[in-house]
Amino acid sequence: MFANLFLLSFVIGSNLIIGILLGLSGISGFLLPLIYVGVLNMPVHDSLALSFLSFSVSGIIGAYSYWKSKNMDLKLALYLSIGSLPGAFLGVQINVMISDFLAKLLLYIFVLFAGLSILLKKNKKNTNALNGNSHSKILDHSLMVVLLGFITSAICSLTGAGGPILLVPLLASLGINIRVAVGVSLLNSVVIAIPSIFGYFAHASTLNTPSLIIASLIGTIVGIVTGARFATKVPIHQLKMAIAIITILSSVYMLVMLKMGA
């Protein structure tokens, strides 16, 4: 009983912290599966199921906020989502077919690259992206947007990434206003989460899953609401750098431990 209470408390605490960071910066969701797998030693499929459940909640709350502030391109989100549904399903199927070792390896490597991308990202302002005056012709072709949604969602559902960490920089580089890119990515993360949740929960093995679901939702909702409330009072650049450093050190440690245990 004590072990279960500790597990539930840790899940609530982890989701609370990640939720606050998401509310403050819009990133860090990819740390959840790292915590579940690497710290709690939970099965990969259980970890990804709970993580995508949190991503769906944070995506809904965040997307609504961005839509309300008129930072949402529903047409772009729709075409991305058309590709994201089958892409997410494919990513889940690949994950459940490979070994736990390979699944963990892919997770840790992706988290490492996510941390590096945050740390090395230049703070150069793209005039077109900020003002929304121009965008790449790629986005004018609906089939290309659908393909973009398919590829990014397959990677996200396979590795346990939330979605924005991959899609936001891609959309921004294609000329989409950065705020709109975040809003669209948050909405798209909900679409990615739907097949991922059902797919991974179908292969989950934890007996007390209902209590873990409740703990995950409580931590995520309270965390996001809290983080969003203080978002304007926190230096975002320093916060992102701190997240990047923690991410890199954690993923490298997990990779070393994975190799030692192989």
Side-chain angles (χ1 to χ4, degrees):
M1 182 176 178
F2 178 77
N4 287 338
L5 184 60
F6 171 79
L7 177 61
L8 292 177
S9 300
F10 201 99
V11 169
I12 292 176
S14 299
N15 280 271
L16 178 65
I17 294 172
I18 299 301
I20 290 174
L21 293 176
L22 278 170
L24 289 172
S25 65
I27 61 174
S28 78
F30 55 86
L31 286 172
L32 261 185
L34 181 68
I35 293 172
Y36 287 152
V37 175
V39 179
L40 292 178
N41 199 29
M42 290 175 58
V44 174
H45 299 151
D46 300 60
S47 302
L48 294 178
L50 289 173
S51 296
F52 277 106
L53 179 64
S54 297
F55 298 157
S56 66
V57 174
S58 61
I60 291 172
I61 296 174
Y64 174 75
S65 175
Y66 276 83
W67 172 78
K68 196 173 181 179
S69 63
K70 301 187 185 304
N71 289 306
M72 179 67 70
D73 186 334
L74 291 177
K75 182 179 178 181
L76 176 59
L78 173 62
Y79 282 115
L80 284 170
S81 298
I82 291 173
S84 293
L85 275 175
F89 177 80
L90 176 64
V92 172
Q93 297 309 306
I94 294 175
N95 187 288
V96 299
M97 287 191 298
I98 62 180
S99 65
D100 279 353
F101 175 85
L102 184 55
K104 290 180 181 179
L105 180 63
L106 291 174
L107 169 63
Y108 298 157
I109 289 176
F110 186 89
V111 172
L112 174 61
F113 277 107
L116 289 172
S117 70
I118 298 171
L119 186 65
L120 301 177
K121 185 178 180 182
K122 305 283 185 182
N123 289 319
K124 296 180 179 179
K125 293 185 179 180
N126 184 315
T127 303
N128 290 334
L130 288 172
N131 298 328
N133 294 329
S134 177
H135 62 260
S136 173
K137 292 182 178 179
I138 293 176
L139 298 178
D140 293 328
H141 301 280
S142 57
L143 185 60
M144 293 299 296
V145 178
V146 171
L147 182 61
L148 178 64
F150 179 84
I151 294 173
T152 55
S153 67
I155 295 173
C156 289
S157 61
L158 170 62
T159 59
I165 189 64
L166 186 60
L167 196 55
V168 168
L170 281 175
L171 291 179
S173 68
L174 292 174
I176 298 297
N177 178 291
I178 187 63
R179 294 181 180 85
V180 175
V182 173
V184 169
S185 299
L186 285 169
L187 182 56
N188 186 248
S189 68
V190 179
V191 178
I192 296 174
I194 293 172
S196 301
I197 290 171
F198 286 103
Y200 286 123
F201 268 120
H203 294 85
S205 57
T206 304
L207 296 177
N208 55 347
T209 298
S211 56
L212 289 177
I213 291 175
I214 295 173
S216 176
L217 291 176
I218 291 174
T220 299
I221 294 173
V222 174
I224 291 174
V225 172
T226 303
R229 181 170 297 181
F230 296 97
T232 59
K233 302 179 181 179
V234 176
I236 297 300
H237 177 70
Q238 288 85 340
L239 177 63
K240 287 185 177 180
M241 291 303 101
I243 292 174
I245 293 172
I246 294 173
T247 298
I248 293 169
L249 293 176
S250 300
S251 56
V252 169
Y253 174 77
M254 294 304 176
L255 283 169
V256 172
M257 294 302 294
L258 183 65
K259 184 178 180 181
M260 292 178 61

